[in-house]
Structure formats: C-alpha cells, structure tokens
C-alpha cells in the first residue's frame, strides 16, 4: 500500500468513494444526497488542504483530507473503499493525518464524525469533546472528537 497525492482527474472518483463508504452505515438515498456537498473532493480542497490517497495494485483503497488552522487541524474526510474495510487502510490514513497535522504545528486534530465511525476514532486515540452541528443537515448533531497531538521533538535536551 502506498500513500500519494491525488491526481486532478481523480476528484470525481474519490467523491464517489466517499459516497459509497458513507452508504455503508445504511443511510437512505435522500440522506446520502444531503451529504454530497460535504463528501465532495474538489480542486479547491486540494489547493487548501492536505489530501492523500491510499492505493495498491488493486486500486484506490481510501482517501483522507486534513485542514490546518493554526494549532488546530480538522479531519475533513477519511473514507475507505467498502470492499477494502478491515484491511488496515483506515488506520494507516488516520496515522498519516495525525502525523501531517503534528508536523504542521497543530496541537489537536478535531473530528466531527459520523456516529457509526466514532468507535474507530476512539480506538485510534481520539477523545469525546462534545457535539457539533452537521455541515450537511441543519439540526443534526455529530460527536466531536479531539486527538491530542504530542509536540514534535526537534533535538535532544
């Protein structure tokens, strides 16, 4: 498995992957359509955020998107191809997200997550930190998690 930047021609394919992955949780077609804008990966996203694709000889396995805002990083997206769930791709992408955020100077990685994905993030070291309103559906509250990032050591003391 390798991690790489997405090619500009892959944005629609990666958006489709996000939609298929979100569908795993049993959302209705109407709900999935309501999530579409939030799950879309665009050229603008690639220009402002850090995005990486996990792939191997079998094709694209997952995608992750991280936004940095000072000392806070935001996990915008982390989706795995449904047929590839359980292979460790999500864990690999999450570790990358934490490292890239930490390297950029962030102290926290904030995750407004799907309720069904919360167990994964807690297992990876994130902690509950209240709730946040969904960007897709007004009034829908999501678990807010925070992964406290350790400072990068730059030398010996």
């Amino acid at each position: 498995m390798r991690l790489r930047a997405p090619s500009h021609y892959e944005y629609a394919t990666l958006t489709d992957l996000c939609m298929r992955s979100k569908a795993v949780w049993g959302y209705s077609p109407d709900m999935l359509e309501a999530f579409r804008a939030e799950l879309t990966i665009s050229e603008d996203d690639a220009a402002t955020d850090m995005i990486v694709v996990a792939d191997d000889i079998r094709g694209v396995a997952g995608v992750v998107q991280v936004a940095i805002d000072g000392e806070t990083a935001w996990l915008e997206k982390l989706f795995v191809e449904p047929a590839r769930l359980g292979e460790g791709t999500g864990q690999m992408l999450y570790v990358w997200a934490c490292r890239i955020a930490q390297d950029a100077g962030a102290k926290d990685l904030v995750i407004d997550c799907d309720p069904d994905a919360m167990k994964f993030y807690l297992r990876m070291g994130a902690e509950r930190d209240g709730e946040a309103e969904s960007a897709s559906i007004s009034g829908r509250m999501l678990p807010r998690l925070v992964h406290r990032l350790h400072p990068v050591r730059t030398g010996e003391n």
Side-chain angles (χ1 to χ4, degrees), residues 77-98:
K77 293 175 187 67
L78 192 161
F79 291 98
V80 174
E81 181 64 50
R84 308 288 298 265
L85 289 169
E87 294 180 3
T89 302
Q91 181 177 348
M92 181 174 49
L93 291 171
Y94 188 80
V95 168
W96 177 88
C98 289

